[in-house]
Amino acid sequence: MELAFAITAFVTLFVVIDPIGMAPLFVALTQGMDRRARLKIAVRSCLIAIGILTVFGLAGEIILDFIGISLAAFRISGGLLLFLTALDMLFERRTQRREDKAEENEDDPSVFPIAMPLIAGPGSMATMILLTNTQGADWTFVLGIHAVMICVIGCVFALFLLAGPMEKLLGNTGVKVVTRLLGMLLAALSVQFIIDGLRDIGALGIS
């Protein structure tokens, strides 16, 4: 794989996954947790995301075609899942559940929503499918794309490690403000996913 294309792939995945925007979101979703718990969630979510994106990079188009799911349906379903997360953040339902079920560990956000759909979301899955299905791509090219993806998620992990200092800087009130603000932004992003999916299938004449 040429260096120029590798840079292009890195920038594309970096913009789609948005590691910088993911850091304050990680703070909001892990509010009140200690450093060790956050580290476990960061490691688990990044490894799961790498696994998911690897599967879609290697066989995403085959899987979707086999079970009859379009990328448009992926975007719509991802948007709906993200909207539920946004509601939890806006109304502090996640915080309340964590306090009620802390000992049971039933509110671990590493798989949902951090690993999927925030890191390995419809956009990043579709991007992996498109990048690895570039005309003339061979196995070395495909492996190069996956190496680039791992580098981008490495950036996500590095920023996750700054969650503790970031929370101390913001304080309890600041975290609540950011949580609600991000909840609103996530709600808007989820609607955008749904609109993109509807546009892809030509529904309601959306352009």
Side-chain angles (χ1 to χ4, degrees):
M1 182 171 60
E2 296 181 356
L3 179 60
F5 191 86
I7 294 174
T8 300
F10 180 88
V11 172
T12 302
L13 283 169
F14 194 92
V15 170
V16 171
I17 295 176
D18 189 16
I20 296 174
M22 202 74 67
L25 185 58
F26 183 79
V27 172
L29 291 172
T30 59
Q31 182 182 0
M33 294 184 179
D34 58 27
R35 184 177 180 277
R36 184 176 180 181
R38 277 180 165 159
L39 178 61
K40 289 175 64 176
I41 289 174
V43 171
R44 189 182 299 119
S45 61
C46 288
L47 289 177
I48 291 171
I50 288 173
I52 293 171
L53 292 181
T54 296
V55 170
F56 276 85
L58 294 175
E61 193 170 20
I62 296 173
I63 294 172
L64 294 182
D65 289 343
F66 179 75
I67 58 181
I69 296 177
S70 66
L71 290 179
F74 242 61
R75 291 190 176 95
I76 294 172
S77 62
L80 292 173
L81 290 172
L82 211 55
F83 188 76
L84 294 176
T85 301
L87 290 179
D88 283 347
M89 294 174 69
L90 283 169
F91 297 105
E92 287 193 328
R93 294 172 185 169
R94 180 174 299 275
T95 302
Q96 293 172 7
R97 286 202 306 269
R98 181 176 294 122
E99 291 174 352
D100 293 340
K101 302 179 181 180
E103 294 182 0
E104 302 174 23
N105 195 30
E106 293 183 1
D107 196 28
D108 183 353
S110 57
V111 177
F112 174 81
I114 298 177
M116 185 178 66
L118 294 180
I119 301 178
S124 54
M125 291 176 188
T127 300
M128 286 299 294
I129 293 173
L130 294 174
L131 289 174
T132 54
N133 283 277
T134 301
Q135 186 175 6
D138 55 15
W139 278 106
T140 58
F141 182 91
V142 172
L143 290 175
I145 293 297
H146 283 81
V148 169
M149 176 267 292
I150 291 172
C151 288
V152 173
I153 296 184
C155 295
V156 173
F157 178 74
L159 289 170
F160 279 177
L161 296 182
L162 300 176
M166 192 178 300
E167 184 178 32
K168 291 180 181 178
L169 179 65
L170 292 173
N172 186 53
T173 301
V175 169
K176 288 183 178 180
V177 172
V178 171
T179 298
R180 282 174 168 76
L181 176 61
L182 289 172
M184 293 175 61
L185 294 176
L186 274 178
L189 178 61
S190 68
V191 172
Q192 186 61 54
F193 276 150
I194 295 172
I195 290 174
D196 290 344
L198 292 174
R199 182 191 296 120
D200 288 346
I201 63 175
L204 306 178
I206 296 176
S207 60

